[in-house]
Structure formats: C-alpha cells, structure tokens
C-alpha cells in the first residue's frame, strides 16, 4: 500500500537500529530507474558502465545527504522508514506535489 504521499516502500533488507530523522546526515548507494526498468542514474560505477550512462566527471560511490534536504520528497520520506544497513525499493509518484 502507498503512503499518503503516494510513496511505495518495499523493504529488501530490514537493517538495524534507529531510523534517520530530519536533519540527519546519511550515506547511501542508489540506482534510479524508470518504471520500465531503464536506469537513468546510479552511484555504482560498474552499473553506470554496464548501462552506458557512465560520466567520467561524476564522483561514484556513496552519496552523502542530509535527510529533509534531498531534492525528492519521496526519497526523504523513504529514507526515514529505513534503518542503518537497510536496503529498500522506493517507488515515487511520477509527479510530486510542488514539482
């Protein structure tokens, strides 16, 4: 079931400890893909190379972000549902409020 904002949160690995709150600094690895499976962004260099989207000017590896200040509201919401070491699939609405 989606959250009130339309986010679908599908846990893959539960993780442990507390969930990060707004203002918390985190490090994440990610793959962004369209609903049809087309990968358009990733923090994994090997995935970018395999998908033909490698950019030599992009710094691959974990992204350091502050929860609550991430450009996609659905990502802010989904991260707050996770715990340290967790892995999840987040399906964000195609058009977020205010976008």
């Amino acid at each position: 079931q989606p959250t009130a904002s339309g986010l679908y949160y599908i846990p893959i690995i539960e993780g442990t400890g507390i969930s990060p709150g707004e203002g918390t600094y985190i490090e994440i690895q990610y793959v962004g893909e369209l609903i049809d499976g087309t990968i358009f962004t990733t923090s994994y260099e090997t995935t970018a190379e395999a998908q033909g989207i490698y950019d030599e000017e992009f710094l691959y590896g974990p992204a350091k972000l502050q929860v609550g200040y991430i450009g996609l509201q659905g990502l802010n919401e989904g991260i707050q549902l996770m715990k340290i070491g967790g892995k999840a699939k987040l399906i964000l609405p195609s058009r977020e409020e205010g976008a």
Side-chain angles (χ1 to χ4, degrees):
Q1 293 289 352
T3 65
S5 70
L7 170 75
Y8 284 85
Y9 174 77
I10 305 162
I12 297 170
I13 298 172
E14 191 61 36
T16 59
I18 62 171
S19 297
E22 189 164 329
T24 303
Y25 286 92
I26 61 163
E27 288 188 359
I28 64 168
Q29 292 272 53
Y30 61 89
V31 175
E33 63 183 80
L34 302 175
I35 201 74
D36 69 2
T38 302
I39 294 175
F40 63 89
T41 187
T42 182
S43 63
Y44 296 98
E45 187 170 4
T46 55
T47 301
E49 291 170 341
Q51 296 298 314
I53 59 170
Y54 178 79
D55 180 350
E56 63 184 32
E57 295 183 17
F58 184 78
L59 181 59
Y60 291 95
K64 294 180 183 180
L65 305 170
Q66 187 177 18
V67 178
Y69 299 92
I70 302 168
L72 294 170
Q73 188 53 39
L75 188 53
N76 282 299
E77 181 183 357
I79 288 171
Q80 291 181 69
L81 297 172
M82 299 176 73
K83 295 179 181 173
I84 295 171
K87 182 176 181 178
K89 177 177 267 194
L90 306 177
I91 303 174
L92 282 57
S94 59
R95 181 170 173 93
E96 294 190 333
E97 180 114 6

